[in-house]
Amino acid sequence: HTQASEARAADSGAQASARFKDRAAAHRGDQPVDHERVNLLAGKAIKALTDIVYEDKVSYEEYNALKSWLIKVGEDGEWPLFLDVWIEHAVEDVATEHREGSKGTIEGPYYVEDSPEYEWDAKIPMREDEPGTPFRFKSKVTAVDGTPLSNAKIEMWHADEYGLYSQFAPGIPEWNLRASFLANEDGEFDIKTIRPAPYQIPTEGACGQLIEAAGWHAWRPAHIHVKVSAPGYELLTAQLYFPGDEHNDDDIASAVKPELMLDPKPSSDGEGEEVQYDFVLDPE
Ligand code: MBD
Ligand code: FE
């Protein structure tokens, strides 16, 4: 690996850890510790691991390899990456199983709150010479009862043509390919962006080491992240995918669902592609 790519992995891990700590600190003290729940969950987690030790006769060599690796996950700032890639999908399924509206999926490690706000039909901030196929994203947001939500907001963020996220890779303008859009009176959006590239999670850190040692791959299919919200409705966090991507069926983060597949068509203005994808929100 090049020094530049190592620097990039360390950079995105440190950024993701620092940002998560800030957000968590803002909510600290919201809830008292539920000792019964901690006893149950920590107890079960520890038992799951010791069961594996007995079942698979884990050796001291393997135990020490695990210890070294866990230390390195922290040093590389990759706890957000590790957890969001391998665990979050289950948490998201459980959190949203009661919903009647649109399916969601995981947030992942690269969301940033409070992105700049734009009108319903704006272009996402991008560099003058931003590479990539122009992509027009049209959407209508309604409630499960069919009411159009005129005060809906879509926050959108995605990687660029090189698979890099602004604020997590160096040298990219702060809000590049990140914005919040405010619906028109019919709950509609007409957003101009570019098609993101497939994304390889950083391979130079502890997560990459695990992937390599286990003989897995590091790819996620190309995806656009969104958070769709409206006052009085449950926040919908989702990612949208492109048909034909070779990693739709083996996403390293297990975050693809058939309901999240886009159906892009050549754009009516002859430039790039466009898609209509609507969202249905559940009342709070
Ligand atoms: C990503 O861009 C992402 O969305 C997830 C879930 C994990 C790693 C990188
Ligand atoms: Fe992502």
PDB file of all heavy atoms in Angstrom, residues 63 76 122 129 141 168 268:
ATOM      1  N   TYR A  63      -6.071 -16.513  20.825  1.00  0.00           N
ATOM      2  CA  TYR A  63      -6.539 -15.546  21.831  1.00  0.00           C
ATOM      3  C   TYR A  63      -5.661 -14.293  21.817  1.00  0.00           C
ATOM      4  O   TYR A  63      -6.157 -13.163  21.841  1.00  0.00           O
ATOM      5  CB  TYR A  63      -6.514 -16.217  23.201  1.00  0.00           C
ATOM      6  CG  TYR A  63      -6.807 -15.298  24.366  1.00  0.00           C
ATOM      7  CD1 TYR A  63      -8.073 -14.752  24.539  1.00  0.00           C
ATOM      8  CD2 TYR A  63      -5.808 -14.989  25.292  1.00  0.00           C
ATOM      9  CE1 TYR A  63      -8.338 -13.904  25.612  1.00  0.00           C
ATOM     10  CE2 TYR A  63      -6.073 -14.150  26.360  1.00  0.00           C
ATOM     11  CZ  TYR A  63      -7.341 -13.613  26.515  1.00  0.00           C
ATOM     12  OH  TYR A  63      -7.588 -12.786  27.570  1.00  0.00           O
ATOM     13  N   ASP A  76      -6.372   2.404  15.256  1.00  0.00           N
ATOM     14  CA  ASP A  76      -6.678   2.874  13.894  1.00  0.00           C
ATOM     15  C   ASP A  76      -7.970   3.689  13.849  1.00  0.00           C
ATOM     16  O   ASP A  76      -8.379   4.133  12.767  1.00  0.00           O
ATOM     17  CB  ASP A  76      -6.795   1.684  12.936  1.00  0.00           C
ATOM     18  CG  ASP A  76      -5.457   0.977  12.732  1.00  0.00           C
ATOM     19  OD1 ASP A  76      -4.416   1.545  13.119  1.00  0.00           O
ATOM     20  OD2 ASP A  76      -5.459  -0.153  12.204  1.00  0.00           O
ATOM     21  N   ALA A 122     -32.626  21.776  -6.024  1.00  0.00           N
ATOM     22  CA  ALA A 122     -31.265  22.315  -6.135  1.00  0.00           C
ATOM     23  C   ALA A 122     -30.253  21.239  -6.525  1.00  0.00           C
ATOM     24  O   ALA A 122     -30.554  20.053  -6.581  1.00  0.00           O
ATOM     25  CB  ALA A 122     -30.855  22.942  -4.799  1.00  0.00           C
ATOM     26  N   ASP A 129     -15.215  20.816 -11.346  1.00  0.00           N
ATOM     27  CA  ASP A 129     -14.855  19.764 -12.304  1.00  0.00           C
ATOM     28  C   ASP A 129     -15.155  18.378 -11.725  1.00  0.00           C
ATOM     29  O   ASP A 129     -14.456  17.416 -11.999  1.00  0.00           O
ATOM     30  CB  ASP A 129     -13.362  19.862 -12.627  1.00  0.00           C
ATOM     31  CG  ASP A 129     -12.511  19.881 -11.351  1.00  0.00           C
ATOM     32  OD1 ASP A 129     -13.108  19.963 -10.242  1.00  0.00           O
ATOM     33  OD2 ASP A 129     -11.275  19.801 -11.440  1.00  0.00           O
ATOM     34  N   VAL A 141     -42.340  12.650  -0.927  1.00  0.00           N
ATOM     35  CA  VAL A 141     -42.418  12.090   0.424  1.00  0.00           C
ATOM     36  C   VAL A 141     -43.857  12.204   0.916  1.00  0.00           C
ATOM     37  O   VAL A 141     -44.439  13.292   0.917  1.00  0.00           O
ATOM     38  CB  VAL A 141     -41.462  12.818   1.394  1.00  0.00           C
ATOM     39  CG1 VAL A 141     -41.562  12.224   2.800  1.00  0.00           C
ATOM     40  CG2 VAL A 141     -40.026  12.737   0.893  1.00  0.00           C
ATOM     41  N   PHE A 168     -13.987  13.083   5.548  1.00  0.00           N
ATOM     42  CA  PHE A 168     -13.335  11.859   6.026  1.00  0.00           C
ATOM     43  C   PHE A 168     -12.107  11.511   5.207  1.00  0.00           C
ATOM     44  O   PHE A 168     -11.318  10.661   5.595  1.00  0.00           O
ATOM     45  CB  PHE A 168     -14.325  10.695   6.050  1.00  0.00           C
ATOM     46  CG  PHE A 168     -15.426  10.934   7.034  1.00  0.00           C
ATOM     47  CD1 PHE A 168     -16.573  11.623   6.660  1.00  0.00           C
ATOM     48  CD2 PHE A 168     -15.293  10.526   8.352  1.00  0.00           C
ATOM     49  CE1 PHE A 168     -17.578  11.893   7.581  1.00  0.00           C
ATOM     50  CE2 PHE A 168     -16.287  10.786   9.273  1.00  0.00           C
ATOM     51  CZ  PHE A 168     -17.431  11.475   8.889  1.00  0.00           C
ATOM     52  N   SER A 268     -33.987  12.851 -19.375  1.00  0.00           N
ATOM     53  CA  SER A 268     -34.779  13.461 -20.451  1.00  0.00           C
ATOM     54  C   SER A 268     -34.024  14.606 -21.122  1.00  0.00           C
ATOM     55  O   SER A 268     -34.249  14.902 -22.296  1.00  0.00           O
ATOM     56  CB  SER A 268     -36.130  13.940 -19.915  1.00  0.00           C
ATOM     57  OG  SER A 268     -35.950  14.699 -18.737  1.00  0.00           O
TER      58      SER A 268
END
